[in-house]
Amino acid sequence: MTETTNSDHDQTKPVLARRKFLAGLGGAAASTVAFPHLVAAESARPLTADIAVDLDLDEIQGNVLPGFNNHHQALILVGFPSSSDGRAWLAAVRSSVASAREVTARSGLSNTSWVNIALSHPGLIALGRPRSELSTFPVEFRAGLVKRANTVGDLGVNAVKNWPAPLQQVFHAVVIVAADQADDRQSLVQQHQQLAAQHGVEVRHVEYGDARVDEPGHEHFGFRDGISQPGVRGFTVPANPDDAEQGAPGQDLLWPGEFVLGYPSQAGPGADVEVQGPIATSGPDWTKNGSYLVFRRLRQDVAGFRAFIRSVAKDQGLSEDLAGAKIVGRYKSGAPLALTGEQDTDPGLTNPALLSDEQINDFEFVDDGDLNGDLVPLAAHIRKTYPRDHPTDDGGEADTQRHRVLRRGIPFGASLAADATPDSAAALAEFPNDRGLLFLCYQTSIARQFEHVQQQWVNDPTFPEPNAGQDAIIATAPKTGEFSLPGGRTGHVALMQRFVTTTGGGYFFQPSLSALATLSAAPPADVPTTPRPPRPNGSGRRPRPGRPSRGRGGNGGDGEGTP
Ligand code: N7H
């Protein structure tokens, strides 16, 4: 990262000097409040010279590995009217981008603020990258979230035509800003709005994410979030005295190529979790040290969810605390049902040890005697999204580990008061007064990781077993479903309604710091495709009856987004 020596906010040379800006915000006093929603076990710990993987933390952007641990964030979604504007903007903005090393070094300090940038495939097109390079990206990234609606189940109410109008636009890049203080976040947003304007780049939409004031670290349904994250070899400190292959107890260490390109990944089908697999690559050479970002704006119907939990509790003869734990797999405090057993009252409230790093994630399902989901239902949210040691069609636990993501979400919107009436709740459920989760996650393959979890696991009522049912929290399709509840009075819960709706999002690529420099420079000339020699009959491939022939250079229906 180059650091500018321009005076702050020099209008003629609009380069954001992040360190200078931070200095202006005050020092780095010890923090008392971290944002538990985002705290991965690795983010709170210093670096280690661990396990033969040398991660280039000066190159990797900060939100990927340590994650931004700030209560106030914003996603500034921009569009490039021309490739030269886009490149000039990127050249100006890239010096404000925080690396993984900087974010890690200041982990646990207060008054931090950070900036990261990611680009969509239409954004790379708009920057003028050559077609020969653009076509090397995987199909799902080229298509983008909107065109993958069938794959992830964004149909019906979740369909793009029902998203709020500002979210229906094409976004070329997202600037992620994060700060401990709301005022500092606001200053950063304003600076970036000005910087964009100075380069003719359009700010098409800004999404604000904030820790809940009444319950920081908890999402809007009331559950503590951001607890279980995969460990990353070479980054997460092994901290389980009984297992050197884990970060915190229960947190298996995975090869970093699952989350950052250019490093060894998991070995794949049938191999043990520790076995080193191939170097993760995707797209052009400059993607090394980069990561794919999935963003989903997920609206939450809090009043509906509360009523649902009440009715499940009543119908199944459970307390509301236990009914919620059956649906999620953890009580609201974060205490894992697998460890605590069935309790009428959230045991995390009276036994804080359950919430310690040593215990909160240290469980399996099958090994702990719950193959059938009698304790933690097979469709409980944390079991659907990470079945741990439950054998699945994907294989054993090591194969399940090839479908993990690093979650970096943050709530948006105000909390719904506990005593909200149905009418007042309905009035507060529409954009822009709605509430939910800005779900963000990083991975090296959107298809194998986020999409696989959403479609093959969450949405499929037969995963991990034929009778499991759907995830009651985030299943998108089909519209109705069932949730199996062994041990309840009726054994199942009808899911007649969804409580989480997709209201926006996109697929992005978050390049390394040096790749941001590459992308801000003039692109290389396109590599001409070698013309095919004419076929003996001179006519080339004959179109099949009823099918239009594809034009040369067409995108083959892979849905390259329209810039
Ligand atoms: Fe989920 N919730 O409140 O119920 N999530 N999630 N999620 N989620 C988790 O361990 C929630 C969403 C995962 O390793 C917890 O951090 C809500 C999407 C995964 O044991 C809670 C929304 C996807 C895990 C919630 C939402 C996932 C996980 C427990 C949307 C991916 C870790 C706390 C509004 C497709 C599982 C924790 C593990 C945990 C909730 C979205 C995935 C409380 C409300 C879209 C992998």
Side-chain angles (χ1 to χ4, degrees):
M1 191 185 89
T2 46
E3 194 174 344
T4 176
T5 52
N6 289 343
S7 66
D8 286 353
H9 323 308
D10 179 341
Q11 298 297 300
T12 57
K13 291 186 179 167
V15 177
L16 290 185
R18 200 187 55 72
R19 287 205 190 102
K20 276 186 172 246
F21 179 70
L22 287 173
L25 293 176
S31 169
T32 46
V33 194
F35 179 34
H37 177 82
L38 296 170
V39 173
E42 68 269 22
S43 68
R45 298 200 171 89
L47 285 178
T48 173
D50 160 53
I51 327 187
V53 185
D54 195 9
L55 291 167
D56 194 342
L57 298 176
D58 295 310
E59 276 283 56
I60 301 165
Q61 293 198 46
N63 203 25
V64 181
L65 284 185
F68 294 157
N69 184 21
N70 306 81
H71 280 217
H72 305 284
Q73 304 197 14
L75 305 178
I76 306 171
L77 295 145
V78 304
F80 310 142
S82 77
S83 54
S84 54
D85 288 340
R87 292 197 298 266
W89 170 81
L90 198 56
V93 84
R94 72 184 178 80
S95 65
S96 62
V97 169
S99 69
R101 188 175 308 282
E102 290 171 285
V103 176
T104 307
R106 297 188 62 164
S107 154
L109 304 180
S110 64
N111 290 332
T112 58
S113 63
W114 311 111
V115 173
N116 270 188
I117 298 176
L119 295 142
S120 65
H121 198 257
L124 293 169
I125 296 171
L127 286 178
R129 300 308 299 176
R131 276 195 86 83
S132 51
E133 181 181 286
L134 291 162
S135 62
T136 62
F137 280 100
V139 64
E140 67 280 4
F141 176 63
R142 283 183 283 155
L145 178 64
V146 169
K147 288 184 181 153
R148 298 290 279 185
N150 280 319
T151 308
V152 298
D154 281 345
L155 309 169
V157 289
N158 299 300
V160 65
K161 69 175 168 44
N162 295 315
W163 295 1
L167 274 306
Q168 290 188 22
Q169 303 173 87
V170 172
F171 302 119
H172 290 157
V174 55
V175 182
I176 306 166
V177 306
D180 288 332
Q181 310 299 331
D183 286 353
D184 294 339
R185 184 261 313 265
Q186 208 47 40
S187 306
L188 275 173
V189 170
Q190 278 162 8
Q191 285 183 36
H192 280 277
Q193 282 170 328
Q194 283 167 11
L195 192 78
Q198 283 155 12
H199 288 91
V201 163
E202 294 164 8
V203 173
R204 295 188 174 161
H205 184 61
V206 182
E207 273 296 325
Y208 291 94
D210 295 276
R212 288 182 55 201
V213 177
D214 50 341
E215 274 193 299
H218 292 240
E219 53 68 53
H220 280 290
F221 292 151
F223 293 83
R224 189 173 146 197
D225 201 359
I227 297 169
S228 172
Q229 302 273 19
V232 181
R233 282 175 191 276
F235 188 75
T236 307
V237 178
N240 182 354
D242 301 324
D243 189 343
E245 297 290 333
Q246 294 193 337
Q251 186 189 33
D252 290 342
L253 293 178
L254 306 187
W255 290 94
E258 295 297 306
F259 311 106
V260 185
L261 291 166
Y263 297 96
S265 53
Q266 293 301 112
D272 283 349
V273 74
E274 303 83 8
V275 177
Q276 176 174 339
I279 302 289
T281 57
S282 180
D285 289 348
W286 55 256
T287 56
K288 183 174 178 349
N289 286 309
S291 185
Y292 287 100
L293 167 67
V294 171
F295 159 47
R296 281 168 83 67
R297 184 184 188 278
L298 299 174
R299 173 185 291 157
Q300 293 178 249
D301 172 5
V302 175
F305 185 78
R306 286 176 188 162
F308 168 68
I309 293 295
R310 274 197 298 275
S311 80
V312 172
K314 190 161 163 262
D315 296 349
Q316 304 291 334
L318 307 170
S319 71
E320 286 187 28
D321 280 7
L322 183 55
K326 290 278 184 184
I327 296 292
V328 172
R330 293 183 186 271
Y331 293 85
K332 283 185 171 173
S333 64
L337 185 55
L339 276 188
T340 64
E342 296 186 354
Q343 308 279 339
D344 285 344
T345 308
D346 184 340
L349 303 176
T350 47
N351 183 1
L354 284 167
L355 311 181
S356 65
D357 274 2
E358 287 67 40
Q359 292 194 36
I360 196 161
N361 208 26
D362 194 15
F363 58 91
E364 300 283 3
F365 298 118
V366 178
D367 248 19
D368 290 346
D370 190 23
L371 176 66
N372 299 326
D374 293 331
L375 177 56
V376 184
L378 301 179
H381 178 62
I382 68 161
R383 195 160 178 170
K384 269 286 198 193
T385 54
Y386 177 34
R388 297 183 186 232
D389 64 339
H390 194 115
T392 75
D393 285 349
D394 296 301
E397 188 166 7
D399 301 291
T400 289
Q401 299 290 15
R402 300 187 68 234
H403 307 283
R404 308 288 305 278
V405 295
L406 289 170
R407 290 174 298 135
R408 300 288 181 240
I410 186 165
F412 68 88
S415 296
L416 184 69
D419 58 357
T421 62
D423 281 354
S424 67
L428 292 173
E430 294 301 319
F431 182 83
N433 297 317
D434 52 348
R435 61 184 57 75
L437 187 70
L438 302 179
F439 176 85
L440 302 173
C441 72
Y442 291 101
Q443 59 253 281
T444 48
S445 167
I446 291 174
R448 176 166 51 82
Q449 292 164 278
F450 164 71
E451 287 186 345
H452 189 92
V453 173
Q454 181 72 49
Q455 186 69 341
Q456 259 78 313
W457 294 1
V458 163
N459 288 349
D460 183 350
T462 68
F463 179 88
E465 302 287 344
N467 59 349
Q470 279 191 318
D471 182 325
I473 304 285
I474 56 161
T476 41
K479 197 173 158 210
T480 57
E482 275 211 353
F483 179 98
S484 289
L485 189 60
R489 269 187 201 151
T490 61
H492 72 273
V493 173
L495 300 175
M496 302 308 291
Q497 196 191 332
R498 300 290 177 203
F499 308 103
V500 169
T501 313
T502 316
T503 50
Y507 290 168
F508 296 88
F509 182 75
Q510 197 151 319
S512 69
L513 273 75
S514 62
L516 288 173
T518 304
L519 295 170
S520 64
D526 213 347
V527 180
T529 41
T530 321
R532 283 205 196 140
R535 294 196 166 207
N537 65 9
S539 65
R541 189 188 298 248
R542 254 183 297 144
R544 287 203 225 145
R547 287 199 183 184
S549 61
R550 286 184 192 157
R552 265 176 63 91
N555 62 20
D558 64 20
E560 237 174 47
T562 317

